[in-house]
Amino acid sequence: MPTRKPLIAGNWKMFKTGSEAVETAGKLVELVKGADHTEVMIAPPFTALSQVFTAVKGTNVALGAQNLFWEAEGAFTGEISTGMLQSAGCTHVIIGHSERRQFFGETDQSVNKKIKTAVAAGLIPILCVGESEKERDENKTFSILDKQIKIGLKNLLLEDVATLVIAYEPIWAIGTGKTATKEQAQEVHRYLRGWIDKNYTAALAESIRILYGGSVKPDNVTALMAMPDVDGALVGGASLDAETFSKIVKF
Ligand code: PEP
């Protein structure tokens, strides 16, 4: 039987000032104290990372970033390096979120560079993959996922992928209130785990965590988490409120 500890990760996107973020993080820390059956991570905007770290340091809430750049430093206006993220207290980083692909031109190739950079630095990458509604309707879900994961993980070794978390986030379910059914999520998660088995090893496929993301709420998390290949959730909107997010953590 797999022994994958679920990860419930909150993506705060471009919401909350430093003080707002600290307030929410502080409340969350109190609410999820002792919730040991899951790992918890929050990813506030860059500007709030250091402040939020003071609120979560030494607790069971880990800190993550929403993006990174692959260079260590230099003339790259507006970008941020792994060293900067780690000095702000980050242990995790979300990579290839569909909003970054859609609005900021991220490609599977740039995602691959970012994943490699995160792994090399010792940050835990959460690689986001997922199909659009049109792609699902045209029965292209698996071919799209195949391409995203194949290029996203290109030239990554077994030991690199061992540290990684995958998040299946169907684009049509993000911020829409339209969740994938538990059967749809399970089908894709099984496919992704099978891909890891085929391209790496059965042991890695058994141990890698695959999160579901897309309108996860307190009232649908339990059903999703009951599926054998769903190992946690990447939560957007419902992670912004500490009380709501804590209910998801304690599914
Ligand atoms: C997300 O941003 O990764 C996400 C899943 O958002 P939401 O939960 O709001 O659909």
Side-chain angles (χ1 to χ4, degrees), residues 11-13 94 97-99 128 169 173-177 212-217 234-239:
N11 171 16
W12 288 2
K13 312 195 187 197
I94 298 168
H97 191 281
S98 63
E99 287 153 14
C128 301
E169 296 213 305
I174 297 180
T176 59
Y212 168 77
S215 299
V216 174
K217 307 273 183 269
L234 181 53
V235 186
S239 70

Side-chain angles (χ1 to χ4, degrees), residues 112 116 150-158 160-161 200:
N112 177 246
K116 284 182 185 154
K150 189 172 169 191
I151 303 174
L153 298 185
K154 191 167 175 215
N155 293 333
L156 278 149
L157 305 173
L158 179 82
D160 300 332
V161 183
Y200 289 94

Side-chain angles (χ1 to χ4, degrees), residues 173 176-182 185 212-227 230 232-235 238 244 247-248 251:
T176 59
K178 214 190 222 184
T179 321
T181 64
K182 57 189 195 313
Y212 168 77
S215 299
V216 174
K217 307 273 183 269
D219 62 3
N220 60 26
V221 65
T222 311
L224 287 159
M225 290 300 300
M227 302 315 279
V230 177
L234 181 53
V235 186
T244 309
K247 288 185 185 149
I248 296 175
F251 66 89

Side-chain angles (χ1 to χ4, degrees), residues 67-236:
N67 185 24
L68 60 71
F69 188 57
W70 51 78
E71 295 291 345
E73 59 181 11
F76 303 106
T77 303
E79 294 298 327
I80 193 154
S81 71
T82 54
M84 292 168 187
L85 295 180
Q86 287 170 309
S87 75
C90 289
T91 48
H92 295 64
V93 58
I94 298 168
I95 295 181
H97 191 281
S98 63
E99 287 153 14
R100 296 226 42 96
R101 294 177 190 255
Q102 188 182 347
F103 303 124
F104 303 101
E106 293 220 0
T107 62
D108 292 322
Q109 286 74 12
S110 64
V111 165
N112 177 246
K113 278 177 133 173
K114 292 183 178 194
I115 295 277
K116 284 182 185 154
T117 307
V119 168
L123 279 166
I124 299 169
I126 302 178
L127 165 63
C128 301
V129 294
E131 81 288 0
S132 67
E133 186 151 43
K134 184 166 176 283
E135 288 159 349
R136 177 163 279 265
D137 289 346
E138 292 172 355
N139 286 323
K140 291 185 183 151
T141 299
F142 296 114
S143 61
I144 290 294
L145 290 168
D146 212 74
K147 180 174 154 287
Q148 290 175 340
I149 195 164
K150 189 172 169 191
I151 303 174
L153 298 185
K154 191 167 175 215
N155 293 333
L156 278 149
L157 305 173
L158 179 82
E159 58 265 35
D160 300 332
V161 183
T163 67
L164 181 111
V165 176
I166 298 172
Y168 168 54
E169 296 213 305
I171 298 168
W172 47 272
I174 297 180
T176 59
K178 214 190 222 184
T179 321
T181 64
K182 57 189 195 313
E183 291 81 11
Q184 284 171 324
Q186 170 59 24
E187 183 187 32
V188 169
H189 285 224
R190 182 102 291 264
Y191 176 81
L192 293 170
R193 202 176 300 288
W195 192 95
I196 296 290
D197 184 358
K198 203 162 66 188
N199 291 278
Y200 289 94
T201 63
L204 181 61
E206 269 305 292
S207 65
I208 198 162
R209 287 181 294 183
I210 307 176
L211 316 184
Y212 168 77
S215 299
V216 174
K217 307 273 183 269
D219 62 3
N220 60 26
V221 65
T222 311
L224 287 159
M225 290 300 300
M227 302 315 279
D229 289 296
V230 177
D231 309 316
L234 181 53
V235 186

